[in-house]
């Protein structure tokens, strides 16, 4: 086999890791309503099936990213697939909420290994325009996996039951473990680079966990409750300790020097906020479709599939143009497009035709296709080649924290508004709460578009990776 063909085969195996981790994180969205009914648990409890997965995945990104500089990459990546496969099969066998959440956490450990190492493997395989092409493809596949899950989940739930949404990922990841072990080159860096900031990792874990739990459970426990007060104190202390620690050590978990680059800083903020909208609507629209419109999980899943089709058709084109012309105009157009899509979503009522839902999903897909790949390119455009691995890990961190925040914020806002409109004797409290929640997501999308403009308005074409 030609060396170039082998490289691209390795890239595809690598991208599978990102794909199934993101696919699995969203197949569950369609299943939440069924799980809630089947296990007789409220949505505020069932959301932890999603949130626990994203939390573990995100928290361990720096740890497993650093571990790739110590362990052979092929063995580490294969281990990620195997752990993910184990968690998927355990999730499939789960028949209680605690067991399901625990199994999802096992899945997340494997997914974190895969997501944290994908960028560095791709960056090490290619240079110049081929690196940009490979990174663009990875970004498109990640976004495609994120939102194609609901369609697959809808079919599986309709014909077999909610447990079966975990089965495909378990099978695919087991096969991918064998391929990655055999194909991905083993890499042993100098021993001098093997230090890991364990204290920084601990502070970061406490910071993220306390923040997310506060946002997710504030409405349930009460914003003035002792639990929330303790979490807020933990968040403030851990944030201060983490920043102080990272600025002090030479082997920091996060390189704050990269934030001196405007396109990197504002670009990561924009990317983070974009996922608030994507994952916020990704978790609220299926609830609306099934609860208000009475649509089946399968029909709901196929409606959401139009997002993925639009995205996958748009992203390669956008990535190619960004590689030649830059990210400025594409990210601006994409941000405006998915903001308009969210406004359309917020106008849905009790008699909204399916074709209108499809149009909204298509607009969301095109907007994100125009935004995601160029944004990934733009964030890395001013970063020195030797720092691409670290920058890629931080980009993944921004992306995944955006996913977590989008889910947590959307569910929390929805629950608060639902309680308010129920108490106010609103004729359809869930629908009204849904509409106002999505309008809030549209505001975040507008802010995202503003940060994207600030990030790339002075972009230099000769700096494009």
């Amino acid at each position: 086999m030609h060396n170039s063909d082998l490289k691209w085969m390795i890239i595809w195996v690598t991208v599978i890791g990102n794909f199934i981790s993101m696919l699995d994180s969203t197949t569950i969205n369609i299943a939440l309503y069924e799980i809630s009914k089947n296990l007789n648990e409220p949505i505020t409890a069932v959301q932890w099936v999603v949130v626990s997965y994203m939390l573990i995945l995100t928290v361990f990104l720096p740890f497993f990213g650093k571990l790739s500089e110590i362990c052979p990459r092929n063995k580490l990546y294969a281990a990620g697939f195997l752990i993910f496969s184990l968690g998927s099969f355990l999730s499939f066998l789960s028949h209680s909420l605690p067991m399901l959440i625990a199994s999802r956490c096992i899945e997340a450990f494997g997914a974190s290994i895969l997501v944290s190492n994908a960028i560095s493997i791709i960056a090490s395989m290619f240079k110049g325009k081929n690196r940009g092409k490979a990174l663009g493809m990875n970004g498109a596949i990640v976004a495609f996996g994120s939102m194609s899950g609901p369609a697959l989940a809808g079919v599986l739930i309709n014909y077999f039951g909610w447990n079966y949404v975990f089965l495909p990922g378990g099978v695919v990841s087991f096969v991918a473990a064998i391929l990655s072990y055999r194909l991905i080159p083993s890499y042993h860096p100098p021993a001098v680079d093997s230090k890991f900031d364990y204290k920084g990792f601990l502070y970061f874990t406490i910071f993220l966990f306390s923040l997310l739990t506060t946002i997710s459970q504030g409405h349930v426990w009460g914003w003035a409750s002792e639990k929330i007060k303790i979490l807020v104190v933990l968040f403030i202390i851990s944030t201060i300790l983490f920043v102080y620690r990272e600025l002090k050590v030479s082997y920091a978990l996060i390189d704050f020097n990269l934030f001196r680059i405007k396109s990197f800083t504002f670009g990561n903020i924009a990317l983070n906020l974009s996922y608030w909208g994507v994952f916020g609507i990704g978790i609220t629209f299926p609830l609306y479709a099934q609860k208000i419109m009475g649509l089946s999980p399968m029909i709901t899943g196929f409606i959401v599939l139009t997002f993925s089709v639009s995205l996958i058709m748009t992203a390669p084109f956008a990535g190619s143009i960004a590689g030649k012309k830059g990210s400025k105009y594409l990210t601006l157009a994409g941000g405006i497009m998915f903001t308009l899509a969210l406004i359309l979503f917020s106008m849905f009522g009790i008699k909204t035709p399916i074709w209108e839902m499809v149009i909204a999903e298509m607009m969301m897909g095109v907007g994100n296709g125009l935004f995601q790949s160029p944004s990934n390119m733009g964030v890395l455009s001013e970063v020195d080649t030797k720092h691409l691995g670290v920058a890629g890990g931080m980009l993944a961190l921004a992306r995944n924290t955006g996913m977590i925040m989008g889910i947590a914020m959307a569910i929390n806002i929805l629950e608060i508004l639902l309680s308010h409109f129920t108490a106010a004797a609103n004729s359809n409290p869930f629908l009204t709460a849904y509409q106002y929640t999505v309008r809030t997501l549209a505001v975040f999308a507008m802010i995202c578009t503003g940060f994207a403009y600030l990030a790339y308005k002075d972009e230099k074409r000769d700096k494009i990776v």
Side-chain angles (χ1 to χ4, degrees):
M1 183 180 293
H2 193 274
N3 185 53
S4 178
D5 294 334
L6 179 60
K7 282 186 175 183
W8 282 106
M9 183 178 292
I10 293 170
I11 293 304
W12 276 110
V13 172
T14 304
V15 168
I16 287 174
N18 264 344
F19 175 75
I20 65 168
S21 64
M22 292 299 105
L23 180 76
D24 191 78
S25 71
T26 53
T27 52
I28 197 67
N29 287 353
I30 296 294
L32 288 179
Y33 185 66
E34 291 295 321
I35 294 172
S36 178
K37 289 196 305 180
N38 188 268
L39 300 181
N40 195 29
E41 297 280 359
I43 287 294
T44 50
V46 174
Q47 71 159 321
W48 280 94
V49 175
V50 180
V51 172
S52 62
Y53 177 91
M54 296 305 301
L55 177 61
I56 295 294
L57 189 159
T58 304
V59 164
F60 282 90
L61 283 174
F63 176 78
F64 288 123
K66 187 65 178 180
L67 197 62
S68 70
E69 299 180 357
I70 303 171
C71 301
R73 282 178 178 161
N74 61 331
K75 293 181 180 178
L76 184 61
Y77 216 66
F81 276 121
L82 288 176
I83 295 170
F84 186 90
S85 181
L86 173 63
S88 297
F89 286 124
L90 289 175
S91 296
F92 169 70
L93 297 172
S94 297
H95 291 287
S96 69
L97 187 59
M99 182 179 177
L100 180 57
I101 292 174
S103 300
R104 291 281 289 170
C105 288
I106 294 174
E107 278 187 88
F109 275 108
S112 189
I113 294 175
L114 301 174
V115 172
S116 62
N117 286 281
I119 294 291
S120 60
I121 291 173
I122 293 171
S124 68
M125 296 295 296
F126 291 103
K127 295 181 179 180
K129 64 178 182 180
N130 282 332
R131 176 185 285 162
K133 182 180 178 181
L135 288 171
M137 182 182 76
N138 179 71
I141 294 298
V142 166
F144 177 66
S146 298
M147 294 305 290
S148 60
L152 175 62
V155 174
L156 292 173
I157 294 169
N158 191 73
Y159 290 105
F160 303 103
W162 65 263
N163 303 70
Y164 283 81
V165 301
F166 304 105
L167 202 54
V171 175
V172 171
S173 56
F174 183 79
V175 175
I178 299 172
L179 293 175
S180 59
Y181 180 79
R182 292 183 175 180
L183 293 177
I184 295 175
S186 178
Y187 175 69
H188 296 275
V192 70
D193 296 327
S194 63
K195 288 184 178 180
F196 183 77
D197 183 14
Y198 292 100
K199 285 187 178 180
F201 173 68
L202 175 62
Y203 300 148
F204 176 76
T205 303
I206 297 172
F207 148 76
L208 192 59
F209 179 80
S210 58
L211 174 64
L212 180 62
T213 307
T214 299
I215 293 171
S216 301
Q217 298 298 107
H219 174 62
V220 179
W221 294 340
W223 293 103
S225 66
E226 290 300 318
K227 291 180 180 178
I228 294 299
K229 289 178 181 178
I230 292 172
L231 286 171
V232 170
V233 171
L234 282 175
F235 168 72
I236 295 172
I237 294 175
S238 60
T239 301
I240 294 172
L241 290 174
F242 177 68
V243 173
Y244 176 76
R245 173 73 181 178
E246 297 307 283
L247 293 174
K248 180 181 177 183
V249 298
S250 59
Y251 48 95
L253 199 66
I254 292 178
D255 186 357
F256 281 98
N257 288 321
L258 288 172
F259 290 107
R260 296 177 180 176
I261 304 172
K262 187 182 70 170
S263 60
F264 182 85
T265 302
F266 290 150
N268 269 302
I269 293 173
L271 191 69
N272 180 279
L273 289 172
S274 73
Y275 278 95
W276 287 38
V278 172
F279 273 71
I281 197 64
I283 203 167
T284 54
F285 173 74
L287 294 174
Y288 156 80
Q290 293 175 80
K291 188 175 180 67
I292 300 298
M293 298 299 295
L295 300 177
S296 69
M298 185 169 70
I299 296 298
T300 302
F302 276 109
I303 292 173
V304 176
L305 181 62
T306 57
F307 169 97
S308 304
V309 173
S310 302
L311 176 84
I312 206 67
M313 292 178 64
T314 308
F317 162 78
S320 177
I321 297 298
K324 298 175 182 177
K325 304 292 185 181
S327 305
K328 177 168 56 177
Y329 297 111
L330 288 166
T331 53
L332 189 61
I336 292 172
M337 177 69 80
F338 66 70
T339 298
L340 292 175
L342 287 168
I343 293 172
L344 181 57
F345 272 111
S346 74
M347 297 169 65
F348 290 173
I350 58 174
K351 294 182 179 180
T352 301
I354 289 180
W355 65 263
E356 192 171 325
M357 301 179 198
V358 170
I359 288 177
E361 291 286 357
M362 289 178 65
M363 289 176 62
M364 197 73 182
V366 171
N368 277 275
L370 292 173
F371 185 88
Q372 299 298 338
S373 293
S375 185
N376 288 331
M377 296 278 289
V379 167
L380 300 176
S381 64
E382 297 285 338
V383 176
D384 192 275
T385 303
K386 65 182 179 181
H387 295 307
L388 275 177
V390 174
M394 293 170 71
L395 189 150
L397 193 62
R399 181 180 68 226
N400 282 278
T401 52
M403 294 174 184
I404 295 174
M405 294 297 290
I407 294 168
M409 289 290 291
I411 288 293
N412 198 46
I413 293 171
L414 183 67
E415 287 293 328
I416 292 172
L417 292 174
L418 180 58
S419 296
H420 170 74
F421 289 120
T422 300
N426 185 280
S427 59
N428 198 328
F430 186 91
L431 176 61
T432 308
Y434 161 80
Q435 291 171 336
Y436 277 95
T437 299
V438 180
R439 289 169 192 169
T440 304
L441 296 176
V443 173
F444 290 133
M446 293 178 192
I447 298 171
C448 159
T449 306
F451 274 108
Y453 173 74
L454 292 175
Y456 313 123
K457 68 175 183 177
D458 300 322
E459 185 176 55
K460 298 176 182 179
R461 288 177 55 183
D462 62 342
K463 284 285 188 179
I464 303 302
V465 177

